[in-house]
Amino acid sequence: MSRVPRRVDSGAPPDGLTPDEHQVLSAVDGVLDEEELAFVVGMAPDRVAELIDALASKAVVSCEAPPPSDKPKPASKPTGDGIDLSANARKYIDQLYPLLERATHYQLLNVARDATSNEIKH
């Protein structure tokens, strides 16, 4: 079962994080689980799990597996758009949608204005 990482402190990230750790940390919102984060940041789920473990060891995020549930997971509701997303992924996209009109592409990608092409690709 996928964990849902949460930021430990909303302040500036500590020094010494790798670019991949920064990328994953920027997407951690306490709602998306590991698999959804992998989709959002464009990395393999195994790699995201490793990065979350590294961030947890640096006390930047906490992640606890959700308690086991006896209830079956409800099927996602059809939305009429033909896109099959989890409720968490849909919520994340719905939060970003209003920013499309006024945010710069740097803000949407969550990179600095002086980001290198490699940082932007990640």
Side-chain angles (χ1 to χ4, degrees):
M1 182 172 283
S2 258
R3 302 171 291 179
V4 177
R6 290 168 182 80
R7 288 178 183 247
V8 172
D9 182 13
S10 61
D15 295 332
L17 295 183
T18 67
D20 284 350
E21 289 171 340
H22 274 288
Q23 184 178 0
V24 170
L25 180 61
S26 71
V28 169
D29 63 359
V31 175
L32 299 175
D33 66 22
E34 288 179 22
E35 292 176 17
E36 292 163 333
L37 283 170
F39 175 77
V40 168
V41 298
M43 293 182 189
D46 291 344
R47 177 68 177 142
V48 170
E50 290 172 11
L51 293 168
I52 290 171
D53 289 340
L55 291 168
S57 72
K58 295 175 182 180
V60 178
V61 299
S62 67
C63 47
E64 298 173 8
S69 173
D70 294 336
K71 295 189 280 185
K73 198 174 191 179
S76 58
K77 295 183 207 173
T79 59
D81 60 10
I83 301 171
D84 183 27
L85 292 173
S86 71
N88 288 338
R90 187 165 295 279
K91 180 180 175 183
Y92 179 75
I93 291 169
D94 288 343
Q95 289 172 344
L96 285 179
Y97 185 75
L99 299 175
L100 293 177
E101 298 271 335
R102 63 181 188 271
T104 68
H105 56 282
Y106 297 106
Q107 292 168 322
L108 291 172
L109 294 173
N110 199 22
V111 296
R113 190 171 282 281
D114 60 348
T116 66
S117 60
N118 281 341
E119 291 171 328
I120 293 170
K121 286 178 187 177
H122 275 80

